[in-house]
């Protein structure tokens, strides 16, 4: 089996994995902003930020110059700073990997992901190759430039298992990294078989912590934890909340109007315990908070199963039963993992 629990040390304290990093849209004042969660959910001492977008955001520039990112967010936990590589377009001038590292250091983040230039599915293969190689070079340069005690994760890409394996093996030899972060999977999120191949290739190539960017969701996170992924980030709870989609514990996300006739919500998280059905339904913020609780409770349950030596597959067999597509995805992962043993 590949799934596991671990305890990592970061400048802001320990990090128990597997874990979820909620995406924090620092500086954005929009309806999809992340709710306050870290005081309400003590074990969710994690946050994912986008270094480049924070540093180029004029509205918080003065704040960032004088305060750490922890002070800006009023947050004491573990901050994972993504480089923001996914936001760059061909016409943009790309910052130096050293510049991104300097930004991550100034923000005082705990985990830095190296600058990357993701290959996109519709690009010619020569262009994809150039971007993958450039991202590898960027990771090497970041490893040379880094001096502090934050954790450095090399961001890697590839649309086939071999590229992922080669990239990790090369970087293990040619740089010093505390972990690896697999990016660029969002365009393939519905192609479960491909995602499973790429994640398993990464998992098998290193024993170091593995983060997967952009795929966190109620069921996706279970699949990732099952494949031995140590951390993942998610904004699904916010996105679903803003569309009034409620994560039903043990099931999936449902529009709240689908079950208008019930009086009590099928969840005992603090949000659902303290509010009536109509209060939750009327508030995007409450749905979002509940959704985050629903995700955290799944992570807690998963960690408990590993610690208690319970059969994770027995649980997942039941958990994935309800939906044909995700059930097939889980079965595929299960078969591939069995073949590895
Ligand atoms: Zn709830």
């Amino acid at each position: 089996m590949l799934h596991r629990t671990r305890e990592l040390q970061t400048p802001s304290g320990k990090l128990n994995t597997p874990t979820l990093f909620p995406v924090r849209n620092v500086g954005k004042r929009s309806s999809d902003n992340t709710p306050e969660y870290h005081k309400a959910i003590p074990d969710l001492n994690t946050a994912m930020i986008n270094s480049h977008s924070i540093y180029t955001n004029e509205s918080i520039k003065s704040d960032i110059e004088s305060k750490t990112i922890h002070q800006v967010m009023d947050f004491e936990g573990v901050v994972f700073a993504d480089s923001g590589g996914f936001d760059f377009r061909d016409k943009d001038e790309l910052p130096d990997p050293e510049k991104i590292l300097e930004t991550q250091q100034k923000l005082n983040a705990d985990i830095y992901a190296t600058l990357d230039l993701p290959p996109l599915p519709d690009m010619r293969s020569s262009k994809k190759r150039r971007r993958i190689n450039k991202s590898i070079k960027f990771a090497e340069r970041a490893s040379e430039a880094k001096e502090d005690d934050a954790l450095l994760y090399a961001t890697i890409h590839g649309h086939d298992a071999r590229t992922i394996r080669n990239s990790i093996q090369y970087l293990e030899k040619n740089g010093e990294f505390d972990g690896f972060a697999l990016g660029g999977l969002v365009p393939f999120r519905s192609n479960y078989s491909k995602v499973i191949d790429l994640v398993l290739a990464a998992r098998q190539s290193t024993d170091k912590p593995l983060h997967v960017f952009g795929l966190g969701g109620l069921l996706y996170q279970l699949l990732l934890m099952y494949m031995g992924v140590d951390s993942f980030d998610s904004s699904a709870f916010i996105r679903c909340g803003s569309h009034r989609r409620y994560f039903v514990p043990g099931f999936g996300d449902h529009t709240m109007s689908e079950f208008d006739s019930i009086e009590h919500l099928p969840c005992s998280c603090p949000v659902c315990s303290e509010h009536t059905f109509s209060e939750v339904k009327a508030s995007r913020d409450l749905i979002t908070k509940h959704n985050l609780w629903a995700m955290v409770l799944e992570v807690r349950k998963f960690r408990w199963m590993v610690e208690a030596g319970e059969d994770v597959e027995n649980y997942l067999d039941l958990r994935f039963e309800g939906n044909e597509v995700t059930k097939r995805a889980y079965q595929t992962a299960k078969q591939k993992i069995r073949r590895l043993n």
Side-chain angles (χ1 to χ4, degrees), residues 114 116 135-136 139 154-158 164-165 167-168 171 180-184 202 210 213:
T114 57
D116 59 325
S135 302
I136 290 175
T155 311
I156 47 157
H157 291 278
I164 302 275
R165 270 196 300 271
S167 304
I168 293 180
L171 286 169
F180 290 87
L182 185 55
L210 175 65
F213 278 122

Side-chain angles (χ1 to χ4, degrees), residues 246 267 269 272 290:
Y246 177 94
C267 173
C269 85
C272 303
H290 151 80

Side-chain angles (χ1 to χ4, degrees), residues 28 40 50 60 65 70 73 110 119 132 146 152 176 198 206 210 226 232 234 252 266 273 286 292 294 297 302 334 336:
K28 282 187 193 165
N50 178 325
I60 51 166
E65 287 299 332
H70 294 85
M73 297 196 296
D110 298 279
I132 288 166
K146 182 183 162 281
L152 183 67
E176 270 185 49
L198 301 179
T206 178
L210 175 65
Y226 175 56
F232 36 87
S234 179
S273 307
L286 290 178
L292 192 51
L297 291 172
F302 197 95
K334 195 165 151 181
K336 288 184 180 181

Side-chain angles (χ1 to χ4, degrees), residues 243-262:
H243 292 107
R244 303 198 189 235
R245 293 189 73 84
Y246 177 94
F247 289 174
V248 182
F251 292 84
D253 62 292
H254 289 266
T255 310
M256 288 196 82
S257 50
E258 282 174 39
F259 42 91
D260 251 348
S261 56
I262 65 163

Side-chain angles (χ1 to χ4, degrees), residues 23 64 129 207 313:
V23 172
I64 290 293
R129 167 63 42 208
D207 192 45
E313 287 183 345

